[in-house]
Amino acid sequence: MAQPMDIAAKHKHVRFAAMEDENDDQGDDTLLDRCKDKDRRLNIAFSNLKRSSRAAGRESAEESSAGGGRWLTTAALCASFLGLGMSIAVIGPTFEDLAMNVHKNISNISYIFAGRSAGYIAGSMLGGALLDCMNPYLLLGLSMLLTALGMCAIPLCRQALLLTGFMACIGISMGILDTGGNVLALSTWGEQAGPHMQALHFSFAAGALVSPVIAQLLFGGSRNTSSVAKNVTAQVHSPVKAIQSWTALRSMWAYVVIGLFVFLSALLFFGMYCCATGSRDRAHSVSEKPQVAKYHTAIVVLLFLFFFAYVGAEVAYGSFIFTFSKDLVRLEEAEAAGINTLFWGSFAACRGLAILLASCLFPGTLITLSLVSCCISSLLLSLFPLHRAVLWAGTGLYGASMAAVFPSGLSWVEQYTPVTGHTAAVLVVGAALGEMVLPVLLGFLMGRVSGEPLLMYQALACAIFCSILFPAMYRLAVASGSRTQGDDGDKEFYQALLQPEPEDFEVFEMDTSLSSPNWDDHRE
């Protein structure tokens, strides 16, 4: 029985050997082709890596050489937002003099705020459209030049309608500056924009604090009432006589000083536009098209509502806390003014502190901490609205909590989807609408319902609303994925290394019972 088994084993080996002899040349050729194909893929990957390394070297060299330009851009943006804050806040302490200058009562020129707000919204939308087809430095320089001319022309206005027209023009330029400045800061610094965005909006808050000082302490003083009445009833129309009338309305010089500062800031942008090299254009030409998030539209809409509620609550609280403290809590006028100052002072101080916090905390973390603090402070103010100590402490905490939300929101959304001109315009319009609607709604309700802390209820409702919106936005953003992607050269290289071989081999299990691989030759 041993002999047939050996013959069967022998025939099996002869059949395999014959097949191996037939396909030996073809197998060698196939294996050689696969090796050559593998070498070719690796060579292509290494070549791409070398090209990407050289490109990265050039970009780092350009970035290091343009580092001063980025800081100069940030400095110019901070100066422009400082002027923006002063231009917006100067109307409050000079409102009475503006009314005298146009021969109207205070109640008869309140529509200038509506004109400025309408211009601000129109400017935000216009700026978003122009940013995608115009150099940002030139656009911001022109908008600031328009603001400077409008500010310097306001003291010359002797008609209320003309004053409203100038306010609308200033609002348009301010909207363009707000939209374009935020987009330029994000595009300049990218993922490192967090501290710079905080610095930008801290400059705005600082300008809002400095403006009353310029208007009242430097140019306020005592007014000659008889001279004011004489100039109001004189109906002067010539610029020379209008300038002479400023001796009675000295606060009008604050508009000229702020206008000159804004003009100097505009010169910075014109200078950067004229002296700009082609490095920025080259960088944009070689950069990839930004990846838009899967739920981009939903995220932008939710952030629109988020900024609507946040900015509306901020402006409403800052506008009505003085009246609330004086009328409902029955505080003295000086103490009520102190609470109002505490709100805006803590707001500005914490925006300065947020510059440091943004360098070590993620934007989402800052937003979460701010929302928690907003909910706690507004809840305390709603539960104990008439308690003096709670009013002081809660107002300070609420102002500090509101400081970092807006710039952190812009930095946060940039991590997941690109903030283009159109996107920034939508977000700024949402903030502007909240600034218009919620204070007006609160004033209407306070006139209808007396004895209730409606200001604190609105602050709590907006804090809860924003605290619900942000987790929803976060879920959509995480589902869309981050914009950070690996280098294409690295991807191709590792794909070439890790790609499995084609399954072209057929595995044979040889019979090892044969004593010699050349048994057939010996048999023959």
Side-chain angles (χ1 to χ4, degrees):
M1 296 294 295
Q3 185 67 21
M5 291 177 61
D6 292 340
I7 293 175
K10 174 185 67 177
H11 287 171
K12 179 180 180 181
H13 190 75
V14 169
R15 190 162 53 248
F16 177 80
M19 183 175 62
E20 181 179 341
D21 291 338
E22 291 177 0
N23 299 329
D24 183 56
D25 295 337
Q26 183 178 358
D28 291 341
D29 294 339
T30 304
L31 181 60
L32 182 60
D33 292 339
R34 281 195 299 270
C35 292
K36 289 181 178 180
D37 183 65
K38 171 65 75 175
D39 292 338
R40 185 167 56 255
R41 291 201 305 271
L42 287 175
N43 289 334
I44 293 174
F46 277 117
S47 299
N48 290 335
L49 275 179
K50 291 178 182 179
R51 285 195 298 269
S52 63
S53 300
R54 288 194 295 267
R58 287 193 301 269
E59 289 179 1
S60 61
E62 291 177 357
E63 183 176 348
S64 61
S65 63
R70 294 201 300 175
W71 284 103
L72 181 60
T73 300
T74 302
L77 287 173
C78 289
S80 65
F81 270 63
L82 181 67
L84 179 64
M86 290 190 293
S87 301
I88 290 178
V90 73
I91 296 180
T94 61
F95 191 52
E96 183 179 356
D97 290 344
L98 279 178
M100 289 183 178
N101 203 39
V102 296
H103 331 297
K104 295 288 185 179
N105 295 325
I106 294 178
S107 59
N108 294 332
I109 64 166
S110 58
Y111 50 81
I112 66 173
F113 294 102
R116 188 183 67 176
S117 299
Y120 196 92
I121 294 176
S124 300
M125 295 186 291
L126 179 63
L130 292 178
L131 274 174
D132 295 333
C133 59
M134 189 175 179
N135 185 281
Y137 296 105
L138 179 60
L139 178 61
L140 294 181
L142 291 175
S143 66
M144 295 191 66
L145 181 61
L146 180 61
T147 303
L149 293 177
M151 293 295 293
C152 293
I154 282 178
L156 300 176
C157 293
R158 314 300 293 177
Q159 299 294 329
L161 185 61
L162 184 60
L163 178 62
T164 305
F166 274 113
M167 285 294 181
C169 293
I170 292 175
I172 292 174
S173 60
M174 288 178 178
I176 295 175
L177 175 62
D178 196 3
T179 302
N182 286 296
V183 173
L184 181 58
L186 289 173
S187 62
T188 300
W189 291 99
E191 296 180 355
Q192 304 174 355
H196 305 279
M197 292 293 295
Q198 299 291 344
L200 213 62
H201 291 271
F202 167 72
S203 301
F204 177 85
L209 283 178
V210 171
S211 184
V213 176
I214 297 176
Q216 293 296 328
L217 297 184
L218 296 183
F219 299 108
S222 59
R223 294 183 304 193
N224 189 337
T225 306
S226 61
S227 179
V228 170
K230 179 181 178 180
N231 285 294
V232 167
T233 58
Q235 296 289 337
V236 291
H237 297 283
S238 66
V240 175
K241 292 182 179 180
I243 293 175
Q244 290 176 354
S245 69
W246 293 358
T247 58
L249 299 175
R250 292 176 54 194
S251 64
M252 293 293 99
W253 285 102
Y255 289 89
V256 178
V257 172
I258 295 173
L260 291 177
F261 177 82
V262 174
F263 175 74
L264 294 177
S265 301
L267 293 181
L268 288 177
F269 285 102
F270 287 132
M272 287 187 292
Y273 170 71
C274 295
C275 301
T277 61
S279 59
R280 183 179 179 86
D281 297 332
R282 289 196 301 269
H284 281 291
S285 63
V286 300
S287 60
E288 294 183 355
K289 185 178 180 179
Q291 180 184 3
V292 179
K294 180 180 179 181
Y295 302 105
H296 173 84
T297 303
I299 294 173
V300 172
V301 170
L302 290 179
L303 196 57
F304 172 91
L305 298 175
F306 183 89
F307 284 156
F308 176 89
Y310 156 73
V311 177
E314 170 198 323
V315 175
Y317 196 92
S319 301
F320 287 96
I321 184 59
F322 176 83
T323 304
F324 175 85
S325 302
K326 187 168 65 72
D327 296 342
L328 192 63
V329 190
R330 305 296 182 184
L331 298 180
E332 296 293 333
E333 186 172 340
E335 189 174 2
I339 293 179
N340 192 11
T341 304
L342 174 64
F343 174 77
W344 291 113
S346 61
F347 183 86
C350 286
R351 275 203 167 170
L353 179 62
I355 300 175
L356 302 177
L357 295 178
S359 61
C360 57
L361 294 177
F362 292 108
T365 305
L366 275 177
I367 295 176
T368 303
L369 294 176
S370 299
L371 291 178
V372 171
S373 299
C374 284
C375 290
I376 294 175
S377 57
S378 59
L379 179 61
L380 290 176
L381 290 170
S382 299
L383 294 177
F384 309 99
L386 304 180
H387 198 283
R388 181 173 300 183
V390 174
L391 182 62
W392 278 91
T395 298
L397 179 60
Y398 189 71
S401 304
M402 302 286 282
V405 176
F406 190 85
S408 298
L410 294 175
S411 301
W412 174 82
V413 73
E414 174 69 14
Q415 295 177 339
Y416 299 97
T417 190
V419 180
T420 60
H422 289 85
T423 302
V426 171
L427 300 180
V428 173
V429 167
L433 287 177
E435 182 180 352
M436 289 177 58
V437 173
L438 292 188
V440 173
L441 177 62
L442 179 62
F444 175 79
L445 293 177
M446 289 179 67
R448 295 293 187 273
V449 181
S450 60
E452 294 293 334
L454 299 179
L455 175 62
M456 307 309 175
Y457 293 159
Q458 186 191 65
L460 179 60
C462 291
I464 295 175
F465 180 70
C466 292
S467 300
I468 294 174
L469 282 181
F470 183 67
M473 290 189 296
Y474 183 79
R475 287 182 62 89
L476 290 177
V478 171
S480 301
S482 177
R483 293 178 59 196
T484 307
Q485 295 180 351
D487 185 78
D488 289 339
D490 294 337
K491 285 183 178 180
E492 188 171 355
F493 174 68
Y494 289 115
Q495 184 179 3
L497 287 179
L498 300 177
Q499 182 177 358
E501 292 291 345
E503 297 180 357
D504 296 333
F505 289 110
E506 183 180 357
V507 180
F508 292 92
E509 189 172 328
M510 297 181 60
D511 189 352
T512 57
S513 61
L514 300 177
S515 59
S516 173
N518 296 325
W519 183 82
D520 295 298
D521 296 337
H522 289 296
R523 185 183 64 82
E524 292 176 355

